[in-house]
């Protein structure tokens, strides 16, 4: 039995756990038999995956093929153009009424005789484009009036976004948006794709707080989805779509070197790179390792709830602080055992008890975990930095909590 030992991050860095989860899932999807996940022994434990005749070359080939299969016509790159439904702009231009109304990408400009009409949704950039179109129509005096023409139009009410991103601004037409999402989900072929789509969550069109009727879209997203939202960025376009192209452009030798820590080739060349996507503090990280870490989210399912944020695996919230949770275990785990422990209520309870020092389960949670080889739970407090309009969430250094015996 052979295997691969991943880059030398310690277990108190969430990126190490997420990369382990994700690579294990990618290899499982590739059909690799006998897979087991563990941590190496000694003073500097590192994540390790073993399997029947598993070699570095097989690992690199699996990661590369996984990316190639998802580069073209992929749900990772699916987009949705959102436009206010029945958007209407009425401008008073002398004795001409101008009506703008249409779906995303198209606008119907109707020019006819009439009286003054109050403007109800005009914007400066929209008005300029409409005025220009009117001037072109008026060049033909015989047909300028009562004329209907179609023009291409793209204003601030029309936004292209990553269809499968769980955190984004509210859409204007939730029904059309959900229909597009469901159609895309129905095209997914791999089990890992279904798991990731479910684990990421979705923008909440339902109330996620009891204090307001309006939905808060982020309330339907996994707490493990921590992509920065600066300038409208979201995880599918700024992370998955960008990284899949970078992975496909690399050689197997480059991929295995990145996974094992022998090189760092980051798709973001900045010294304060955000490629870790909240799983570590800003700084360079190899794209292959970050790619696997993002796919690690697939092992952490979540469920939507009315008037509350999603019920998420390996997560707890205590006194307004979010905590993500990982485990340190003794013997190698199969992919199924890993998923069952991460999704267990006992892991969340043990972490909550360790942080609050209140043994609400009277040791039952620790006993259940110990029976499955868990030595300790590791809690990662989430730091919120940046501006109020675009907060940036990231996991701090983890705290070990040995199980009670």
């Amino acid at each position: 039995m052979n295997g691969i030992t991943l880059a030398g991050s310690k277990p108190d860095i969430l990126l190490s756990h997420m990369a382990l989860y994700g690579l294990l899932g990618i290899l499982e999807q590739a059909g690799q038999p006998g897979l087991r996940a563990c941590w190496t022994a000694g003073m500097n434990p590192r994540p390790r995956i073993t399997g029947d005749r598993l070699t570095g070359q097989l690992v690199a080939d699996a990661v590369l093929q996984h990316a190639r299969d998802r580069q073209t016509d992929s749900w990772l790159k699916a987009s949705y153009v959102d436009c206010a439904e029945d958007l209407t702009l009425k401008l008073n231009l002398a004795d001409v009424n101008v009506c703008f109304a249409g779906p995303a990408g198209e606008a119907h400009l109707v020019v006819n005789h009439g009286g003054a009409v109050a403007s109800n949704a005009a914007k400066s950039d929209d008005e300029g484009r409409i005025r220009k179109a009117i001037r072109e129509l008026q060049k033909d005096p015989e047909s300028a009036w009562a004329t209907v023409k179609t023009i291409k139009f793209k204003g601030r009410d029309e936004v292209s976004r990553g269809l499968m991103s769980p955190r984004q601004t509210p859409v204007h037409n939730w029904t059309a948006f959900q229909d597009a999402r469901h159609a895309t989900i129905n095209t997914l072929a791999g089990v890992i794709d279904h798991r990731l789509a479910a684990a990421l969550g979705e923008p909440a069109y339902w109330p996620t707080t009891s204090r307001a009727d309006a939905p808060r879209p982020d309330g339907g997203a996994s707490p493990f989805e921590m992509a920065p939202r600066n300038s409208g960025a979201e995880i599918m376009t700024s992370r998955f779509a960008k990284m899949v192209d970078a992975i496909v452009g690399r050689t197997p030798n480059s991929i295995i070197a990145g996974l094992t820590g022998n090189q760092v080739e980051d798709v973001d060349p900045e010294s304060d790179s955000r490629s870790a996507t909240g799983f570590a503090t800003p700084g360079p990280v190899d794209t292959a390792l970050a790619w696997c870490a993002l796919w690690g989210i697939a092992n952490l399912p979540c469920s939507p709830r009315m008037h509350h944020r999603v019920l998420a695996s390996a997560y707890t919230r205590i006194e307004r602080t979010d905590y993500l949770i990982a485990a340190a275990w003794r013997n190698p785990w199969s992919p199924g055992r890993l998923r069952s422990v991460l999704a267990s209520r006992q892991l969340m309870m043990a972490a909550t008890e360790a942080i609050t020092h209140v043994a609400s389960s009277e040791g039952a949670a620790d006993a259940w975990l110990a029976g499955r080889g868990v030595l300790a739970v590791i809690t990662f407090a989430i730091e919120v930095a940046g501006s109020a309009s675009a907060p940036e969430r990231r996991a701090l250094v983890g705290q070990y909590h040995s199980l009670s015996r």
Side-chain angles (χ1 to χ4, degrees):
M1 180 176 287
N2 299 308
I4 177 175
T5 301
L6 299 182
S9 296
K10 297 180 180 180
D12 59 4
I13 303 299
L14 184 58
L15 179 66
S16 302
H17 298 268
M18 299 302 294
L20 175 64
Y21 306 163
L23 181 57
L24 187 68
I26 290 171
L27 293 173
E28 182 184 30
Q29 179 70 39
Q32 172 63 41
L35 289 170
R36 294 294 185 271
C38 62
W39 290 83
T40 61
M43 297 297 293
N44 185 28
R46 294 170 61 183
R48 180 170 173 78
I49 296 175
T50 59
D52 298 343
R53 298 179 300 279
L54 184 65
T55 65
Q57 185 65 43
L58 286 176
V59 170
D61 290 343
V63 172
L64 184 56
Q65 189 60 50
H66 171 80
R68 284 173 175 167
D69 291 343
R70 289 156 182 82
Q71 184 186 28
T72 306
D73 297 328
S74 169
W75 69 279
L76 302 180
K77 295 185 176 183
S79 62
Y80 176 79
V81 179
D82 182 41
C83 185
E85 188 175 22
D86 298 327
L87 177 65
T88 300
L89 299 178
K90 295 181 180 179
L91 306 177
N92 178 18
L93 302 177
D95 62 345
V96 178
N97 293 342
V98 180
C99 177
F100 163 80
E106 292 185 352
H108 299 286
L109 184 64
V110 181
V111 182
N112 52 39
H113 287 291
V117 177
S119 173
N120 68 344
K123 294 179 179 177
S124 59
D125 55 345
D126 301 336
E127 183 175 349
R129 297 185 186 203
I130 292 178
R131 284 180 183 273
K132 180 179 179 181
I134 291 173
R135 288 195 298 271
E136 293 178 356
L137 282 173
Q138 291 174 331
K139 292 177 182 178
D140 184 355
E142 295 183 358
S143 60
W145 310 115
T147 300
V148 178
K149 289 195 174 183
T150 301
I151 60 171
K152 290 296 180 181
F153 190 89
K154 187 176 179 66
R156 276 177 282 178
D157 287 293
E158 182 183 320
V159 180
S160 179
R161 59 183 78 204
L163 176 64
M164 302 304 292
S165 293
R167 289 194 303 128
Q168 48 185 278
T169 53
V171 299
H172 291 97
N173 189 333
W174 281 106
T175 301
F177 180 69
Q178 286 296 97
D179 288 346
R181 282 180 57 89
H182 294 165
T184 297
I185 290 171
N186 288 338
T187 67
L188 301 184
V191 172
I192 193 173
D193 299 272
H194 282 276
R195 285 179 175 150
L196 179 60
L200 283 171
E202 61 180 312
Y205 56 85
W206 61 92
T208 56
T209 171
S210 59
R211 297 188 299 274
D213 293 330
R216 296 185 179 180
D218 287 7
S222 166
F224 284 85
E225 200 277 79
M226 297 184 286
R229 293 289 311 284
N230 308 73
S231 303
E234 29 80 13
I235 193 169
M236 303 313 290
T237 56
S238 63
R239 288 296 182 273
F240 280 102
K242 188 176 180 180
M243 286 186 181
V244 71
D245 291 337
I247 295 294
V248 169
R250 290 173 61 168
T251 65
N253 287 340
S254 171
I255 290 173
I256 200 64
L259 291 174
T260 56
N262 292 320
Q263 76 170 43
V264 175
E265 186 175 327
D266 195 333
V267 68
D268 182 355
E270 301 297 327
S271 60
D272 61 345
S273 166
R274 264 60 173 182
S275 293
T277 319
F279 300 143
T281 54
V285 59
D286 190 84
T287 301
L289 198 68
W291 170 256
C292 291
L294 288 176
W295 283 90
I297 299 174
N299 295 279
L300 299 154
C302 64
S303 300
R305 297 187 293 176
M306 285 291 290
H307 304 302
H308 295 281
R309 288 186 59 179
V310 293
L311 181 63
S313 304
Y315 163 81
T316 189
R317 181 176 176 85
I318 300 171
E319 296 181 352
R320 299 186 178 182
T321 299
D322 292 330
Y323 293 88
L324 304 180
I325 309 165
W329 62 90
R330 180 184 297 108
N331 299 316
W333 281 354
S334 68
R337 169 57 59 87
L338 174 66
R339 285 192 290 270
S340 69
V341 172
L342 291 177
S344 70
R345 179 173 176 79
Q346 288 83 353
L347 181 66
M348 182 273 291
M349 292 177 64
T352 302
E353 292 173 359
I355 295 169
T356 62
H357 305 289
V358 177
S360 57
S361 71
E362 298 181 349
D366 282 14
W368 186 89
L369 292 171
R372 286 152 180 78
V374 176
L375 301 174
V377 294
I378 309 170
T379 57
F380 300 87
I382 300 302
E383 176 187 53
V384 181
S387 65
S389 60
E392 184 175 344
R393 301 170 67 247
R394 64 177 72 107
L396 299 177
V397 174
Q399 300 297 312
Y400 283 79
H401 308 277
S402 297
L403 298 184
S404 60
R405 301 298 177 184

